[in-house]
């Protein structure tokens, strides 16, 4: 297999004069082929989603969390294809007061509720193409073993003590709140009840003898960790926020509840009268899935990336690393944080009746369409608003018109009657811009396009590394627009295959456009796997030619053979992404309401 990196392509040996390097920022040329850095580290990568509460059915916010992790993981697999190099876990968080109360309210045994809702998450994730390698349920025996072992370590290291814990407890958030985070709200009957200032959920006063974790000892180690690794929490504003929290004293943390109050959980080893705090229980899931407490877990920890929503940052960036340090382990490699989806400007909630069902969306917009929408529009740094018209507009313009239209233009029978990848002519499109001659047809903008697409894989990888997947998609979309501009500019439909003057240039225009499409298809795989497969199959790109490590763009341009030249295109299988019919009944209804 030919391995020509973008780097080699652009830094052609043996050429003088103006090279493509002049068109690019030097940053793009510093790091070698994609995949090389990861290969060199020989590192394993372990991605996790939060585990989802089973008190209610999944909504689009949950799916978004899982999709971000899925896209990161799929991108990583394209860089380092070895199946043994990447793991990806998700699952359901099934213990705690919140689930105990939800089951009681539904008149179900907790196990029944857990089975029912966990199955809904599993089905949703299957349908949405979440490529996890493990789905954990915290009610599994393997998890109880891991949690109790972890507890034992903390105990043996003198980090747990028994004491009186008193304060406000919010069952909905499963956490104690300081007085300053509690306010009064008048209920429907006019009485006032205490609620969490941030979430508005009810809180209750709790005074119990519990096991307490010496969290206060970890303030400085946590500060050292975060100051020493500025990318530990990404994007940066969240990293800064955690460091700001750590400027204040860290109180010790209650890590158990009386079993008489909370029976739905894992008992404290050696003390059945206490149940382990649900957050400690839940966080250890990240170790359970890599085999903890068996030694095998060490080959995956700490090369772990946690993908989480901003509401659970404190648990992942303070409690979890402190617990890990306490148990003699390192904090996770990365914590990637995202913001939330609102619906028509409002927080999604059952009581407001505005919860968007992700399965309906997958049906309406297709799996790839909805994945593309959430990842293209979701910006980790701030909240995003959902409404149906936005989805239709985006998918019609970017997937159906721009990308689908481009493929159609370059593969349609009337323009590409032989149904092949045409030959690139270096006389029409010399590698040196600015050459003048009777057969030179390429213009300055065409060199700009070649440069933009050649540097796209590196740019996309950088955006993935910075957890800015929407920027990666924005960059791809911008190149698709540029490629459409290229095709429009040279109007291949006006050129004639029969003419010896036109034919080499016509082939070259199509060759360049197909090469661009091949790069787009390859880069879109983590986000729209089915659509990308359809696109690459139509181009005749085999399964072994779809990785990022060996992705080479337009090798002919710098005098290397192109394995695709002359190859038959794949079979025609219809529109790449059909336009969403705006007159569909559901959309008309959505407009009216
Ligand atoms: N069970 C805990 C996590 C334990 S992880 C050791 C939990 N569960 S959750 O079901 O409430 O939330 C799971 C994920 O969904 C979180 O990352 C949360 O931020 C995310 N989302 C919940 N609502 C959301 C939106 N409206 N928008 C985007 N993500 C949202 O917390």
């Amino acid at each position: 297999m030919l391995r020509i990196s973008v780097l080699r392509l652009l830094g052609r040996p043996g050429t003088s004069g103006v090279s493509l390097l002049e068109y690019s920022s030097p940053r793009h040329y510093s790091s070698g082929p994609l995949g090389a850095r990861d290969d060199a580290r020989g590192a394993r990568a372990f991605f996790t989603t939060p585990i989802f509460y089973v008190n209610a059915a999944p909504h689009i916010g949950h799916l978004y969390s899982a999709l971000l992790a899925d896209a990161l993981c799929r991108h990583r697999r394209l860089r380092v294809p070895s199946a043994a190099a990447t793991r990806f876990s998700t699952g359901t968080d099934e213990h705690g007061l919140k689930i105990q109360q939800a089951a009681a309210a539904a008149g179900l045994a907790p196990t029944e509720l857990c089975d029912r809702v966990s199955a809904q998450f599993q089905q949703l994730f299957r349908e949405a193409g979440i490529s996890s390698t493990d789905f954990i349920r915290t009610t599994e025996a393997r998890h109880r073993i891991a949690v109790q072992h972890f507890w034992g370590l903390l105990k043996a290291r003198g980090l747990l003590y028994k004491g009186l814990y008193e304060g406000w407890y919010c069952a909905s958030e499963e956490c104690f709140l300081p007085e300053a985070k509690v306010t009064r709200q008048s209920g429907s009957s006019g009485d006032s009840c205490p609620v969490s200032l941030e979430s508005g959920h009810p809180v209750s006063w709790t005074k119990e003898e519990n096991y307490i974790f010496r969290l206060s000892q970890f303030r400085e180690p946590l500060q050292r960790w975060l100051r020493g690794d500025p990318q530990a929490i990404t994007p940066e504003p969240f990293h800064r926020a955690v460091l700001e929290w750590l400027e204040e004293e860290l109180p010790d943390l209650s890590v158990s509840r009386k079993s008489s109050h909370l029976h739905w959980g894992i008992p404290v080893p050696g003390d059945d009268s206490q149940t382990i705090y649900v957050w400690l229980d839940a966080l250890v899931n990240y170790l359970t899935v890599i085999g903890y407490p068996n030694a095998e877990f060490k080959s995956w920890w700490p090369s772990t990336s946690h993908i989480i929503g901003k509401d659970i940052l404190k648990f992942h960036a303070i409690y979890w690393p402190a617990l890990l340090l306490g148990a003699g382990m390192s904090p996770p490699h990365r914590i990637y944080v995202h913001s939330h989806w609102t619906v028509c400007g409002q927080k999604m909630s059952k009581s407001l009746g505005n919860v968007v069902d992700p399965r309906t969306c997958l049906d309406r917009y297709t799996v790839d369409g909805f994945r593309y929408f959430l990842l293209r529009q979701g910006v980790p740094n701030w909240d995003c608003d959902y409404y149906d018209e936005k989805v239709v507009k985006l998918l019609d313009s970017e997937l159906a018109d721009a990308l689908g239209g481009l493929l159609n233009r370059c593969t349609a029978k009337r323009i590409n009657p032989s149904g092949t990848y045409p030959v690139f002519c270096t006389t029409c499109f010399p590698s040196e811009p600015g050459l003048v001659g009777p057969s030179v047809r390429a213009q300055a903008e065409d060199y700009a396009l070649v440069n933009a697409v050649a540097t796209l894989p590196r740019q996309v990888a950088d955006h993935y590394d910075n957890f800015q997947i929407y920027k990666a998609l924005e960059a791809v979309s911008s190149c698709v627009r540029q490629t459409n501009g290229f095709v429009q500019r040279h109007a291949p439909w006006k050129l004639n295959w029969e003419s010896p003057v036109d034919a080499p240039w016509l082939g070259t225009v199509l060759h360049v456009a197909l090469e661009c499409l091949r790069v787009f298809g390859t880069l879109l795989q983590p986000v729209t796997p089915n659509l990308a497969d359809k696109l690459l199959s139509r181009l005749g790109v085999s399964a072994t030619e779809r990785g990022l490590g060996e992705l080479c763009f337009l090798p002919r341009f710098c005098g290397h053979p192109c394995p695709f030249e002359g190859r038959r295109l794949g079979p025609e299988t219809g529109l790449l992404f059909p336009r969403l019919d705006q007159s569909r009944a559901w959309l008309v209804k959505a407009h009216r309401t």
Side-chain angles (χ1 to χ4, degrees), residues 176-450:
F176 281 97
L177 293 176
E179 192 66 49
K181 292 275 169 82
V182 173
T183 183
R184 300 244 150 212
Q185 201 175 65
S186 33
S188 46
S189 52
D191 51 336
S192 113
C193 51
V195 294
S196 156
L197 194 62
E198 269 165 28
S199 68
H201 291 128
V203 298
S204 57
W205 187 255
T206 310
K207 186 175 176 182
E208 273 182 13
E209 190 175 51
N210 294 153
Y211 287 94
I212 297 175
F213 171 63
R214 297 188 191 281
L215 180 64
S216 53
Q217 290 189 1
F218 292 90
R219 190 170 145 223
E220 281 176 19
L222 291 176
Q223 285 173 329
R224 273 199 300 280
W225 162 54
L226 290 178
R227 289 189 183 129
D229 186 355
Q231 284 175 322
I233 302 174
T234 302
E236 191 276 335
F238 296 108
H239 190 273
R240 202 175 343 121
V242 176
L243 274 171
E244 277 167 23
W245 293 339
L246 287 171
E247 273 164 27
E248 296 190 6
E249 287 297 319
L250 264 189
D252 284 351
L253 177 71
S254 164
V255 285
S256 72
R257 306 298 310 275
K258 268 168 86 171
S259 314
S260 54
H261 183 64
L262 172 70
H263 59 82
W264 185 238
I266 300 177
V268 166
D271 184 356
D272 278 1
S273 72
Q274 295 275 322
T275 303
I276 295 177
Y277 175 41
V278 64
W279 267 103
L280 193 158
D281 170 340
L283 288 161
V284 173
N285 96 83
Y286 300 132
L287 296 177
T288 309
V289 291
I290 48 173
Y292 183 85
N294 295 329
E296 64 175 278
F297 88 91
K298 291 187 184 145
S299 52
W300 294 96
W301 196 271
S303 39
T304 304
S305 300
H306 294 315
I307 288 80
I308 59 160
K310 62 180 183 179
D311 54 323
I312 54 175
L313 180 57
K314 178 181 66 184
F315 302 95
H316 284 80
I318 295 185
Y319 297 176
W320 181 225
L323 288 164
L324 286 163
L325 289 170
M329 290 177 232
S330 307
H333 170 61
R334 288 276 174 278
I335 300 175
Y336 291 116
V337 190
H338 66 79
S339 297
H340 282 186
W341 282 90
T342 55
V343 175
C344 301
Q346 282 182 310
K347 193 176 165 175
M348 238 187 305
S349 88
K350 246 193 339 200
S351 51
L352 286 172
N354 64 350
V355 174
V356 181
D357 171 18
R359 290 182 63 203
T360 309
C361 296
L362 294 171
D363 278 353
R364 274 182 189 168
Y365 306 119
T366 73
V367 168
D368 287 70
F370 199 55
R371 285 176 65 107
Y372 186 81
F373 170 77
L374 286 180
L375 293 172
R376 170 80 168 89
Q377 291 286 311
V379 177
N381 299 45
W382 51 86
D383 288 353
C384 302
D385 198 34
Y386 177 88
Y387 51 96
D388 290 313
E389 291 86 341
K390 204 172 178 178
V391 191
V392 174
K393 212 168 149 194
L394 179 86
L395 300 185
D396 276 353
S397 85
E398 294 197 355
L399 294 187
D401 296 347
L403 188 65
L406 180 62
L407 177 68
N408 196 36
R409 278 170 138 186
C410 306
T411 52
K413 223 174 170 59
R414 96 198 106 77
I415 214 157
N416 189 344
S418 64
T420 54
Y421 225 92
V423 172
F424 179 89
C425 167
T426 47
T427 322
C428 300
F429 203 145
S431 53
E432 307 222 354
L435 286 186
V436 188
S439 16
V440 175
R441 308 286 284 266
Q443 304 167 7
E445 294 103 307
D446 305 335
Y447 288 91
L449 168 72
V450 168

Side-chain angles (χ1 to χ4, degrees), residues 33-44 76 79-80 458 465:
L34 292 173
R37 282 189 296 189
D38 306 287
D39 275 336
R41 266 192 308 185
R44 291 175 160 197
R76 153 84 192 186
R79 279 162 122 168
V80 185
R458 177 80 270 156
D465 287 344

